[in-house]
């Protein structure tokens, strides 16, 4: 009997469950007010519009499960996109420019990971510092001027394949990858362990230093992907491209059930978190409510997510 | 000699789930007296001072302070009555000055109601020099040595008109010179008619500073003596003297094992941190116990053997082959397992499932990135059955398990690595009696399988019941190795406390 109570409580406390119910209820209400909501086209739109946030949030999920933060990713997106675009304006081939931009993002996050892992300085502060550095680099690269691709490179960000918007493909692929890593690989296990209790993980033979660096490198690859999807969609880049992305990504991850201390979370949770954030914008649009209110509503949802997950803790103890 | 009774307790009892921590304690303290309390680890000393400082509520008994009777105290009432407690790990704010720490919580203000730095420094300086100590009042506490911090804590307590000062192992980390300074401060306090309750593991201190001494044993008072009327030997005997039936109900297991001859693990001249030249040999199938007081270097020795901490020198040899580990991962690969003292802090990932905790060490031994969850499930489920871990299923987060079952999960983790050498640090701390027996059985099964078991324990009956031999640690050295016939609580404590020093004498 006690077992049943525990099981039920676990399900109810599971953030994914809470999110799923919330999404169903909100969808129901919106569909009732505007039947266009349940069209396939609308759902594809939601996925398309949140692909950039989604890919970035996948990286943030890894970093936060390991018990760390990366608040430099918004600036890093600014740097990677402007770097690639400025290469194009200087006559570099589009493929090479994209590749180098991607590598810049990987390099930036690797730097973060290296500092965090080797110095044991708090990752929040480390990435606060590199955030400023990356933004400064973007300013230097552009001289403050918008860098345009001149109409090239539509592939990742615009257009459709088989009726599905192109950004949806990397978005979904990212989450399949995230799911597999977290659930089926040894590295995934170790990431949870490092976030859950670094000392116990170390005493069990986990190379905690390597895990932390790996998490940041993979995050870098996802930031690179985010940058290139965004660049392709926008067709041009500014140092401020991607600004605020880090906070929205963290919000999605937190809504998805990763505690700030790490050790818990899932690909599904973050995916639902991203969808919920996208859904709120979409609903408010369909209901003809000013976009200005979106920020307010999202704020409420984040607060609610955190309050609910902490209520669970109180009950358990 | 003593005029006034400051504090008197009658018939104090306290029990925790599963343990009777204190039984009918009577105790008194005169003004200007140092009353020492001695006893084994777990004799009830901490519980007793927690009751006097108001941190715990007794189940029974009364406390008389200056003639007034109280059933219970609260921390703030105790402080108002002038009872000040200084714990082992002093609670000072490192980033504030000595003076600010002394007046923390009752800050001095100037005429305008602002905090007065000048007045604070002046008054604190006065207090410090009154007690004949040389600590600059403006120095930040984080720059002080441990001894100075300890003294500042005591001055802080005395500055609040303490009439009763409770000290819990104040000399645990002090050198001889620092100890002398501390004792000077205490004698000053005695002269001011402060009554001091002094808890220590070092019997020689009792004779140096104490006026009376009370011996606690398993939560009961054995005796109170005037210090000049008692010897160290008597105190040790009183600390261990135990009713026989208690001993036997704990260990109705068969302790007869035959040691397989042949395989031998040799710890050769280990040195590092506080550990000094420790050497001993363990036969396969043997349980080698390690005894000693808290802080004698037992945990530190296990950490060195597991490849943690900086080793200055020393080798670990298995049948003559060097298997000295360089890191925990290296240790695990060489078949060494550490079951740490604080399983919640260093043994388990509390937020993860039984399954993930059990496989966490073993996955580092196989070079395969992709996990086979089916095999994992089968392996973990079979271990859960084998160790009789009580959990609704293997996906339950370990935070929801009882202490004993958590300990079994840690053990399961190491069994899965097929380790050969098991280092246990306080394997049954905080575990209820029933599960304790199961843990004992598991440890003995390991030995029966021909593994090497090295076990640190503060629980003397446990140590004696399980161990084939016992090494005694004192101040980072292994001062004696006792075999079966020499094992007695009295003998262990004598070596651990330094009453007996040279082995064999």
């Amino acid at each position: 009997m006690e077992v049943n109570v525990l099981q039920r409580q676990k399900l109810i406390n599971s953030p994914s469950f809470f999110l799923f119910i919330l999404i169903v209820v909100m969808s129901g209400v919106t569909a009732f007010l505007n039947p266009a909501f349940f069209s396939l086209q609308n759902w594809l739109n939601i996925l398309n519009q949140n692909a950039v946030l989604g890919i970035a949030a996948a990286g943030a999920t890894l970093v936060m499960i390991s018990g760390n933060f990366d608040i430099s990713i918004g600036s890093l997106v600014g740097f990677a996109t402007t770097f690639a675009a400025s290469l194009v304006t200087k006559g570099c081939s589009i493929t090479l420019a994209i590749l180098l931009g991607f590598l810049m993002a990987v390099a930036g996050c690797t730097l973060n990971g290296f500092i965090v892992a080797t110095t044991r300085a708090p990752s929040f502060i480390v990435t606060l510092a590199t955030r400023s550095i990356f933004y400064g680099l973007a300013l230097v690269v552009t001289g403050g001027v918008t860098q345009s691709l001149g109409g090239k490179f539509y592939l990742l960000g615009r257009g459709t394949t088989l009726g599905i918007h192109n950004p949806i493909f990397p978005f979904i692929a990212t989450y399949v990858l995230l799911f597999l890593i977290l659930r089926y690989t040894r590295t995934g296990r170790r990431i949870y362990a490092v976030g859950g209790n670094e000392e116990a993980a170390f005493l069990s033979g986990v190379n905690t230093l390597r895990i932390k660096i790996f998490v940041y490198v993979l995050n870098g690859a996802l930031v690179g992907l985010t940058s290139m999807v965004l660049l392709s969609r926008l067709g041009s880049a500014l140092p401020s491209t991607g600004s605020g992305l880090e906070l929205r990504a963290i919000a999605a991850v937190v809504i998805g059930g990763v505690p700030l201390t790490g050790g818990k979370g899932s690909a599904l949770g973050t995916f639902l978190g991203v969808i919920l954030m996208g859904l709120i914008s979409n609903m408010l649009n369909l209901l003809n409510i000013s976009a200005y209110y979106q920020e307010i509503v999202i704020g409420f949802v984040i607060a609610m997510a955190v309050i609910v997950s902490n209520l669970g803790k109180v009950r358990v103890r | 000699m003593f005029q006034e009774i400051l504090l008197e307790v009658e018939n104090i009892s306290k029990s925790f789930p599963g343990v009777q921590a204190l039984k009918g304690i009577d105790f008194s303290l005169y003004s200007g007296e140092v009353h020492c309390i001695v006893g084994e680890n777990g004799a009830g000393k901490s519980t007793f001072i927690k009751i006097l400082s108001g941190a715990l509520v007794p189940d029974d008994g009364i406390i008389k302070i200056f003639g007034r009777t109280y059933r219970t105290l609260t921390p703030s009432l105790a402080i108002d009555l002038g009872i000040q407690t200084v714990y082992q790990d002093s609670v000072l704010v490192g980033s504030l000055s000595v003076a600010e720490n002394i007046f923390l919580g009752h800050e001095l203000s100037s005429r305008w109601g602002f905090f007065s730095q000048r007045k604070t420094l002046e008054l604190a300086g006065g207090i410090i020099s009154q007690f004949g100590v040389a600590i600059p009042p403006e120095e930040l506490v984080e720059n002080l040595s441990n001894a100075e911090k300890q003294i500042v804590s005591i001055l802080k307590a005395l500055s609040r008109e303490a009439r009763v000062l409770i000290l819990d192992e104040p000399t645990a980390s002090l050198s001889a010179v620092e100890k002398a300074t501390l004792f000077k401060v205490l004698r000053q306090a005695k002269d001011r008619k402060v009554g001091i309750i002094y808890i220590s593991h070092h019997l020689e201190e009792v004779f140096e500073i104490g006026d009376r001494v009370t011996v606690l044993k398993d939560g009961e008072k054995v005796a109170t003596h005037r210090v000049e009327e008692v010897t160290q030997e008597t105190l040790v005997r009183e600390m261990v003297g135990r009713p026989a039936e208690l001993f036997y109900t704990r260990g109705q297991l068969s302790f007869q094992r035959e040691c397989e001859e042949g395989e031998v693990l040799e710890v050769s001249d280990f040195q590092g941190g506080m550990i000094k030249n420790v050497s001993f040999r363990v036969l396969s199938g043997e349980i080698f116990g390690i005894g000693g007081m808290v802080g004698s270097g037992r945990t530190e020795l296990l950490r060195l053997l597991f490849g943690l901490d900086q080793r200055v020198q020393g080798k670990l040899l298995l049948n003559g082959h060097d298997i000295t580990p360089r890191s925990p991962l290296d240790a695990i690969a060489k078949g060494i397992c550490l079951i740490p003292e604080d399983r919640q802090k260093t043994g388990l990932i509390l937020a993860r499932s039984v399954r993930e905790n059990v496989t966490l060490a073993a996955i580092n031994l196989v070079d395969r990135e992709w996990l086979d969850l089916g095999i994992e499930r089968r392996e973990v489920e079979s271990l859960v059955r084998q160790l009789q871990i009580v959990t609704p299923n293997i996906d339950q987060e370990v935070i929801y398990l009882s202490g004993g079952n958590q300990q079994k999960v840690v053990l399961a983790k190491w069994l899965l690595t097929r380790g050969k050498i098991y280092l246990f640090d306080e394997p049954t701390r905080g575990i209820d009696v029933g599960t304790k027996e199961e843990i004992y059985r598991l440890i003995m099964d390991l030995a029966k399988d021909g593994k090497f078991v090295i076990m640190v324990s503060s629980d003397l009956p446990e140590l004696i019941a399980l161990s084939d031999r016992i090494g005694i640690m004192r101040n980072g050295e292994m001062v004696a190795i006792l075999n079966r016939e020499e094992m007695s609580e009295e003998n262990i404590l004598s070596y651990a406390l330094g009453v007996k020093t040279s082995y064999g004498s």
Side-chain angles (χ1 to χ4, degrees):
Chain A
M1 199 202 114
E2 201 181 329
V3 173
N4 278 330
V5 172
L6 271 177
Q7 293 287 305
R8 202 182 317 140
Q9 193 157 53
K10 220 172 136 191
L11 180 66
I12 292 167
N13 284 339
S14 140
S16 298
F17 177 77
F18 161 70
L19 275 180
F20 185 74
I21 297 293
L22 197 62
I23 288 173
V24 168
V25 170
M26 282 171 51
S27 303
V29 173
T30 316
F32 179 72
L33 296 171
N34 186 341
F37 179 79
F38 265 135
S39 67
L40 177 66
Q41 202 49 48
N42 188 44
W43 281 95
L44 288 177
N45 270 334
I46 293 174
L47 287 175
N48 182 33
Q49 280 158 7
N50 292 284
V52 167
L53 172 65
I55 299 168
T61 304
L62 286 168
V63 174
M64 289 176 68
I65 287 177
S66 82
N68 292 290
F69 285 99
D70 190 342
I71 58 166
S72 74
I73 63 167
S75 293
L76 194 52
V77 166
F79 175 52
T81 52
T82 52
F83 184 77
S86 70
L87 285 179
V88 173
T89 60
K90 292 192 181 84
C92 178
S93 92
I94 192 81
T95 320
L96 186 62
I98 296 304
L99 188 66
L100 289 174
F102 176 83
L103 288 177
M104 279 300 148
V106 176
C109 278
T110 306
L111 175 72
N112 287 340
F114 193 75
I115 301 174
V116 168
T118 55
T119 65
R120 302 181 139 263
S123 59
F124 189 87
I125 307 298
V126 169
T127 56
L128 184 68
T130 56
R131 175 180 195 268
S132 175
I133 294 173
F134 299 147
Y135 187 64
L137 285 173
L139 287 172
V140 171
V141 164
T142 58
V145 184
T146 304
Q147 306 289 306
S148 170
L149 290 181
K152 292 178 221 160
F153 186 45
Y154 280 163
L155 179 70
L156 270 178
R158 305 189 206 184
T160 58
T161 306
L162 304 171
I164 296 172
H165 307 78
N166 285 347
I168 296 178
F169 293 101
F171 178 21
I172 299 301
T174 298
Y175 276 84
V176 172
L177 180 75
L178 183 67
F179 175 78
L180 292 177
I181 289 177
L182 289 179
R183 200 177 168 100
Y184 290 104
T185 70
R186 183 163 73 158
T187 304
R189 270 312 154 72
R190 291 169 169 169
I191 294 171
Y192 282 118
V194 167
N197 185 342
E198 191 177 337
E199 194 177 352
F202 182 66
L203 290 177
S204 300
V206 175
N207 187 335
T208 54
L209 191 117
R210 214 161 63 190
I211 287 299
K212 283 195 226 170
I213 293 178
F214 173 81
V215 158
Y216 275 94
V217 172
L218 193 54
N219 181 45
L222 292 173
V223 172
L225 185 59
T226 306
S227 305
M228 295 314 126
V229 172
L230 189 58
L231 180 60
S232 171
R233 172 178 289 170
L234 298 175
S236 66
L238 269 172
S240 62
T241 302
S243 87
L245 184 63
E246 66 280 359
L247 296 183
R248 282 193 297 139
I250 291 173
V253 173
V254 169
I255 292 173
V258 181
L260 290 191
T261 47
K264 286 188 190 182
S266 66
L268 178 66
T270 302
F271 183 76
L272 291 176
V274 171
I275 294 301
L276 181 68
M277 286 178 67
L279 208 57
I280 293 169
S281 316
N282 185 263
M283 276 168 42
L284 298 176
N285 286 338
L286 287 181
L287 301 179
N288 277 325
I289 296 169
S290 155
Y292 297 158
Y293 287 98
Q294 291 182 13
E295 292 289 322
I296 299 175
V297 176
I298 286 179
F300 271 112
V301 172
I302 296 171
M304 222 158 82
V306 174
I307 291 165
V308 166
S309 67
N310 280 303
L311 276 183
K313 258 185 238 157
V314 174
R315 252 181 290 145
V316 166
R317 279 176 183 269
Chain B
M1 178 177 168
F2 309 120
Q3 308 90 343
E4 190 191 352
I5 289 193
L6 294 179
L7 182 150
E8 207 174 359
V9 303
E10 284 169 20
N11 200 26
I12 286 280
S13 294
K14 174 78 190 172
S15 64
F16 298 110
V19 205
Q20 179 83 32
L22 287 178
K23 270 174 280 187
I25 302 284
D26 295 331
F27 181 88
S28 64
L29 181 70
Y30 292 95
S31 67
E33 174 192 39
V34 176
H35 193 152
C36 300
I37 300 179
V38 296
E40 285 177 41
N41 301 329
K45 296 171 296 191
S46 309
T47 309
F48 184 62
I49 60 168
K50 277 186 186 148
I51 287 173
L52 289 185
S53 61
L56 284 176
V57 176
D59 300 337
D60 203 3
I62 53 168
I63 306 168
K64 275 195 226 162
I65 297 164
F66 312 129
R68 271 198 66 181
T69 302
Y70 300 86
R71 287 231 156 260
T72 64
L73 295 171
T74 62
S76 60
L77 178 61
I79 289 169
D80 288 345
L81 291 169
I83 301 175
Q84 289 280 350
T85 311
V86 178
Y87 290 101
Q88 280 164 19
D89 32 358
S90 61
V91 276
L92 297 174
V93 184
S95 55
L96 293 181
S97 72
V98 169
E100 283 163 337
N101 265 288
I102 288 178
F103 288 103
L104 194 66
H106 55 144
E107 287 81 1
L108 302 163
S109 44
S110 66
R111 213 163 358 130
W112 306 100
F114 293 105
F115 171 71
S116 168
Q117 187 75 40
R118 194 181 50 79
K119 226 161 144 190
T120 306
L121 280 176
E122 240 173 59
L123 274 172
I127 293 171
I128 293 169
S129 61
Q130 271 172 32
F131 281 92
V133 191
I135 300 174
E138 67 279 359
E139 186 64 74
L140 294 186
V141 162
E142 61 196 4
N143 299 334
L144 300 183
S145 71
N146 278 338
E148 289 170 325
K149 282 183 195 162
Q150 194 69 253
I151 286 168
V152 171
S153 308
I154 292 170
L155 293 182
K156 176 179 168 183
L158 290 173
S159 78
R160 309 202 177 167
E161 334 246 276
R163 314 239 358 231
V164 175
L165 184 63
I166 304 175
L167 302 175
D168 188 5
E169 289 242 34
T171 57
S173 53
L174 305 193
S175 71
V177 181
E178 293 168 333
K179 211 192 270 184
T181 317
L182 178 78
F183 284 174
K184 194 163 88 182
V185 172
L186 294 187
R187 291 203 181 93
Q188 293 272 345
K190 271 181 72 162
D191 291 346
R192 285 152 204 257
K193 306 272 173 258
V194 174
I196 298 171
I197 299 175
Y198 189 99
I199 291 177
S200 179
H201 276 323
H202 301 278
L203 292 186
E204 68 272 13
E205 290 172 14
V206 170
F207 293 91
E208 196 175 341
I209 189 90
D211 296 302
R212 287 193 297 163
V213 53
T214 290
V215 182
L216 293 186
K217 169 76 188 160
D218 294 330
E220 287 182 273
K221 184 171 109 171
V222 182
T224 297
H225 306 279
R226 300 191 51 79
V227 165
E228 57 273 21
E229 292 163 2
V230 73
T231 62
Q232 288 203 18
E233 286 69 28
T234 313
L235 289 182
V236 170
R237 201 166 49 240
E238 287 176 349
M239 284 162 74
V240 301
R242 177 185 302 269
E245 75 274 9
L246 201 78
F247 180 92
Y248 287 110
T249 49
R250 285 189 112 149
Q252 286 176 341
L253 306 156
S254 159
F255 303 120
Q256 295 301 316
R257 279 183 318 275
E258 289 156 37
C259 290
E260 274 174 53
E261 288 296 335
E263 289 210 278
V264 61
L265 178 74
E266 190 173 354
V267 176
S268 165
D269 204 17
F270 258 68
Q271 196 173 338
M274 72 177 294
I275 300 301
K276 286 168 264 181
N277 309 88
V278 170
S279 299
F280 58 92
R281 291 153 71 98
V282 185
L283 299 173
S284 74
E286 188 181 30
I287 298 177
F288 188 86
I290 296 183
M293 304 312 285
V294 171
S296 61
R298 300 170 306 174
T299 298
E300 289 75 5
L301 176 62
L302 292 191
R303 286 175 64 92
L304 276 186
L305 292 176
F306 192 61
L308 283 157
D309 300 342
Q310 198 61 45
R311 182 167 37 85
V312 178
Q313 62 173 55
K315 275 198 179 117
L316 191 63
L317 303 168
L318 178 61
N319 298 328
H321 299 290
D322 189 345
I323 57 158
T324 319
R326 293 181 304 272
S327 68
L329 181 56
D330 190 35
I332 295 164
K334 287 167 174 165
I336 308 173
C337 313
L338 174 68
I339 295 90
E341 180 177 4
D342 188 339
R343 54 188 163 269
Q344 302 220 341
K345 251 164 92 183
T346 54
L348 293 166
I349 319 285
L350 288 175
R352 306 309 302 174
S353 65
V354 171
R355 178 169 55 90
E356 290 183 28
N357 271 284
V358 169
T359 49
L360 185 61
I363 57 170
N364 300 311
L365 294 179
V366 193
D367 204 15
R368 237 183 68 160
E369 189 54 41
W370 204 251
L371 301 170
D372 185 328
L373 298 188
I375 292 180
E376 180 182 44
R377 252 174 204 291
R378 278 199 297 281
E379 293 268 3
V380 174
E381 266 164 7
S382 110
L383 275 166
V384 164
R385 269 196 306 277
Q386 186 193 331
L387 304 188
Q388 296 172 350
I389 300 174
V390 180
T391 174
N393 56 58
I394 60 171
D395 293 312
Q396 181 75 335
E397 291 157 28
V398 293
I399 193 168
Y400 298 107
L401 267 53
S402 73
N405 285 303
Q406 287 182 347
Q407 186 71 316
K408 288 183 185 175
V409 171
V410 178
L411 193 54
K413 172 170 76 179
W414 294 117
L415 290 179
L416 199 58
T417 67
R418 320 257 187 264
K420 188 103 182 91
I421 300 157
Y422 290 79
L423 311 173
F424 286 92
D425 196 354
E426 304 283 4
T428 60
R429 170 159 296 176
I431 291 176
D432 60 280
V433 182
T435 319
K436 253 187 194 178
E437 296 234 354
E438 289 182 55
I439 303 274
Y440 293 155
R441 201 180 303 279
L442 292 170
I443 294 175
M444 288 190 293
D445 285 348
L446 283 174
K448 219 182 287 169
D449 287 351
K451 311 279 197 261
F452 302 92
V453 178
I454 299 175
M455 180 184 81
V456 165
S457 178
S458 295
D459 185 332
L460 294 184
E462 164 180 309
L463 195 62
I464 292 173
L466 287 182
S467 306
D468 296 295
R469 286 182 300 148
I470 298 175
I472 313 287
M473 297 293 292
R474 176 171 164 81
N475 296 331
E477 288 176 274
M478 190 164 280
V479 293
I481 296 176
L482 310 177
N483 55 34
R484 268 243 150 271
E485 301 80 66
E486 298 167 301
M487 277 178 207
S488 66
E489 295 189 30
E490 194 171 335
N491 230 353
I492 293 173
L493 271 186
S494 297
Y495 284 111
L497 293 167
V499 177
K500 283 192 190 171
T501 44
S502 64
Y503 178 49
S505 69

